[in-house]
């Protein structure tokens, strides 16, 4: 695993993955979006409103998954001090925050016709809101220090604390209020029809590979920024 | 262990000799509750309906207010570096400072809570639940707060940042704390929220001193 810690080697792999990630993401969007938004059947109760789900559910999954990636990379960074692990975590945070925001916005758009109100303190929307705040806290803490490394470590530790806290928040919020329909994709089998599962999975794939593609772009930018910092520092030291 | 009691005694003595801090926390608690009363209006039944949540939320915010200074003063004058070099286990040092913080603010909130609840027309059958839930919940707030306070040491915008970091982490405690009081008002068995609050306290007690110690080490390095 440790040989991946070399940024040059890591970026070589990341750059090789990049065109594939872009390609698969675009392909999934091109096939998935028309199927999800036009040709898939409307729900017998929710009508066309159900189509919001094809954006809402993948966004919710990505919001949680990106946080898991962030927490895992932060752990790797704190234990082995691999800078690349932290760069992955830091580059992931804004993407994850945007997925979470997308999930909240689509949840609100869905809630208006369904519940008749833009915001309901429903268990899972509230959990996502807390997750969104955790992302904001992580980003803010990482930027709050003069010393970059100090911010990196504080943010990494916060990501870990948050990962312990998130399940607790999730269950307490669930206990606090259960109003939402039960989770759609359960392990025991699909409770919705295949015609809806296929576009949903396509959209999940599209979001997933979009994340990978954007992550690679952000990693490049982060590494370039680090190079510029070093160059400036050397210039100042030489001058 | 000797180091632990020494730090605890030192922090308590500092708090006793500088009582402004404690009074400020109680003052904030009382004023925030008063503002809430202004906000919702003077009708007793409306206040009584929301009092359980308001008392708990205001107690939480008051606890948050005092956290920034948990490590900041020692960090600024270099005491924290000395404590880290002193050979006392860093987690024990964090725990000692957290206990001192709770004894000076959490306990003060506990004493002030019935009066604040009384002014907001909390039904009489709920006072026991309020005290028990605050007793079980506020130490968790202090423990989580110690981690947050250590994380923001030396940052450019301590106070606001600290609230942003801690409020999401505080939400489970608030949910179950307010639920216990609400349950008592409605005459429901409140064992479940107590049990969860106790569980959260034990979890925080086992994890937070270590996380706080790591954060302090990063800060003084």
């Amino acid at each position: 695993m440790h040989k991946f810690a070399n940024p040059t080697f890591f970026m070589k792999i990341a750059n090789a993955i990049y065109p594939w990630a872009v390609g698969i993401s675009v392909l999934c969007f091109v096939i998935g979006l028309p199927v999800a938004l036009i040709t898939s059947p409307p729900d017998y109760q929710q009508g066309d409103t159900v189509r919001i789900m094809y954006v809402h559910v993948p966004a919710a999954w990505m919001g949680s998954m990106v946080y898991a990636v962030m927490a895992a990379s932060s752990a790797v960074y704190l234990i082995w001090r691999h800078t690349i692990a932290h760069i992955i975590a830091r580059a992931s945070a804004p993407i994850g925050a945007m997925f979470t925001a997308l999930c909240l916005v689509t949840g609100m758009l869905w809630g208006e016709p369904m519940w008749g109100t833009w915001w309901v303190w429903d268990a899972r929307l509230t959990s996502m809101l807390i997750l969104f705040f955790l992302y904001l806290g992580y980003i803010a803490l990482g930027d709050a220090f003069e010393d970059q490394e100090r911010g990196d470590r504080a943010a990494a530790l916060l990501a870990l604390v948050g990962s312990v806290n998130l399940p607790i928040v999730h269950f307490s919020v669930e206990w606090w209020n259960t109003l939402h329909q039960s989770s759609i994709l359960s392990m025991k089998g699909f409770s919705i029809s295949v015609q809806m599962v296929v576009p949903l999975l396509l959209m999940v794939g599209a979001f997933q590979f979009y994340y990978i593609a954007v992550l690679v772009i952000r990693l490049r930018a982060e590494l370039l920024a680090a190079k510029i910092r070093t160059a400036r520092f050397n210039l100042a030291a030489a001058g | 262990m000797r180091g632990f009691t020494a730090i605890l005694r030192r922090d308590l003595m500092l708090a006793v000799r500088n009582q402004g801090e404690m009074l400020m926390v109680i003052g904030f608690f009382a004023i925030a509750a008063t503002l809430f009363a202004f906000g919702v209006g003077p009708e007793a039944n409306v206040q009584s309906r929301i009092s359980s949540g308001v008392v708990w939320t205001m107690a939480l915010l008051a606890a948050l207010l005092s956290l920034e200074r948990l490590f900041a003063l020692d960090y600024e004058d270099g005491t924290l570096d000395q404590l880290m070099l002193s050979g006392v286990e860093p987690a024990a040092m964090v725990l000692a400072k957290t206990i001192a913080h709770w004894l000076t603010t959490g306990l003060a909130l506990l004493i002030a809570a019935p009066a604040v609840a009384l002014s907001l027309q909390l039904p009489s059958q709920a006072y026991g639940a309020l005290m028990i839930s605050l007793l079980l919940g506020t130490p968790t707030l202090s423990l989580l707060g110690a981690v947050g306070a250590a994380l923001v040491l030396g940052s450019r915008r301590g106070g606001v940042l600290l609230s942003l970091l801690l409020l999401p982490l505080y939400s489970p405690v608030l949910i179950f704390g307010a639920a216990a009081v609400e349950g008592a008002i409605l005459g429901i068995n409140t064992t479940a929220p107590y049990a969860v609050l106790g569980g959260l306290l034990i979890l925080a007690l086992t994890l937070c001193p270590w996380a706080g110690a790591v954060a302090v080490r990063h800060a003084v390095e």
Side-chain angles (χ1 to χ4, degrees):
Chain A
M1 192 187 95
H2 294 289
K3 73 178 175 194
F4 292 107
N6 177 349
T8 321
F9 183 68
F10 185 87
M11 282 319 288
K12 209 182 254 177
I13 300 174
N15 287 331
I17 295 173
Y18 176 70
W20 291 95
V22 174
I24 297 175
S25 174
V26 169
L27 197 70
C28 286
F29 269 123
V30 166
I31 305 172
L33 268 181
V35 176
L37 298 184
I38 299 160
T39 60
S40 75
D43 187 74
Y44 78 103
Q45 274 182 325
Q46 304 175 15
D48 281 332
T49 317
V50 76
R51 299 184 198 284
I52 295 174
M53 175 198 77
Y54 299 115
V55 178
H56 176 74
V57 172
W61 284 352
M62 292 306 294
S64 325
M65 197 209 78
V66 172
Y67 196 90
V69 169
M70 232 172 74
S73 329
S74 297
V76 170
Y77 171 68
L78 283 178
I79 295 167
W80 291 292
R81 296 284 156 89
H82 292 328
T83 319
I84 190 80
H86 179 71
I87 293 178
I88 292 174
R90 193 169 62 199
S92 294
I95 315 175
M98 285 326 289
F99 278 128
T100 315
L102 184 64
C103 167
L104 289 171
V105 170
T106 49
M108 287 164 78
L109 290 175
W110 184 84
E112 212 285 327
M114 283 300 117
W115 294 325
T117 167
W118 292 106
W119 183 260
V120 169
W121 290 98
D122 137 83
R124 263 175 293 159
L125 270 181
T126 312
S127 296
M128 285 317 272
L129 188 65
I130 299 282
L131 180 63
F132 184 61
F133 290 148
L134 275 176
Y135 274 121
L136 291 187
Y138 176 90
I139 296 169
L141 187 63
D143 289 338
F145 296 92
E146 302 282 341
D147 175 13
Q148 181 64 49
E149 204 188 341
R150 165 92 179 92
D152 289 354
R153 289 195 196 163
L157 192 60
L158 179 70
L160 286 185
V161 173
S163 71
V164 175
N165 200 263
L166 263 180
I168 301 175
V169 170
H170 181 78
F171 286 116
S172 32
V173 169
E174 195 120 298
W175 182 87
W176 173 63
N177 189 351
T178 347
L179 209 143
H180 216 300
Q181 50 186 215
S182 57
S183 209
I184 355 180
L185 281 191
S186 64
M187 285 299 168
K188 291 176 196 122
F190 296 135
S191 64
I192 59 174
S193 79
V194 183
Q195 283 164 301
M196 287 179 163
V197 169
V198 171
L200 183 59
L201 289 180
L202 278 171
M203 291 303 285
V204 169
F207 275 48
Q208 189 84 49
F209 286 97
Y210 168 85
Y211 164 60
I212 295 172
V214 175
L215 181 63
V216 175
I217 297 174
R218 293 193 66 93
L219 287 178
R220 285 178 189 156
E222 292 272 358
L223 287 172
L224 278 179
K227 268 186 194 160
I228 292 171
R229 256 202 312 276
T230 322
R232 278 207 182 127
F233 183 77
N234 289 340
L235 202 65
Chain B
M1 197 60 210
R2 247 179 55 214
F4 177 84
T5 42
I7 295 169
L8 183 61
R9 194 178 308 139
R10 167 182 174 274
D11 273 28
L12 284 176
M13 202 177 281
L14 281 175
V16 169
R17 295 204 177 144
N18 180 15
Q19 288 163 344
E21 192 97 340
M22 270 166 90
L23 293 176
M24 228 169 64
V25 171
I26 297 179
F28 176 86
F29 188 27
I31 291 169
T34 313
L35 289 178
F36 228 100
F38 289 149
V40 297
E43 291 108 75
N45 53 342
V46 178
Q47 286 183 358
S48 159
R49 178 68 200 79
I50 59 168
S51 53
S52 58
V54 172
V55 174
W56 245 101
T57 314
M58 294 308 134
L60 187 149
L61 291 178
L64 186 69
L65 183 75
S66 58
L67 277 170
E68 206 188 335
R69 293 162 72 86
L70 180 50
F71 295 110
L73 292 180
D74 286 345
Y75 175 73
E76 278 156 20
D77 67 8
T79 313
L80 204 56
D81 298 72
Q82 300 302 322
L83 286 174
M84 289 301 279
L85 293 172
S86 66
V88 179
E89 171 64 35
M93 186 267 286
V94 171
L95 185 63
K97 290 185 83 68
T98 313
I99 292 174
H101 174 265
W102 183 78
L103 286 174
T104 50
T105 60
L107 214 54
L109 287 175
L110 218 64
I111 295 166
V116 172
L118 201 67
S119 71
L120 286 169
Q121 325 289 341
L122 186 77
S124 55
Q125 68 269 29
Y127 283 86
L130 177 68
M131 297 313 275
I132 296 173
S133 64
L134 281 174
L135 189 64
L136 287 169
T138 46
T140 314
L141 300 183
S142 290
L143 283 160
L144 284 170
V147 181
L151 279 176
V152 300
L153 278 180
S155 78
R156 282 189 292 246
R157 32 173 193 254
V160 187
L161 184 62
L162 189 59
S163 328
L164 182 62
L165 301 189
L166 284 179
L167 291 180
L169 304 182
Y170 277 0
S171 46
V173 179
L174 176 63
I175 288 174
F176 288 102
V181 184
E182 193 64 36
I185 295 175
L186 300 171
I188 304 168
N189 187 351
T190 47
T191 323
Y194 291 157
V196 177
L197 283 173
L200 289 175
L201 174 57
I202 290 167
L203 192 66
L205 204 54
T206 45
L207 295 179
C208 288
W210 276 268
V214 173
V216 171
R217 196 177 301 134
H218 290 169
V220 299
E221 246 170 33

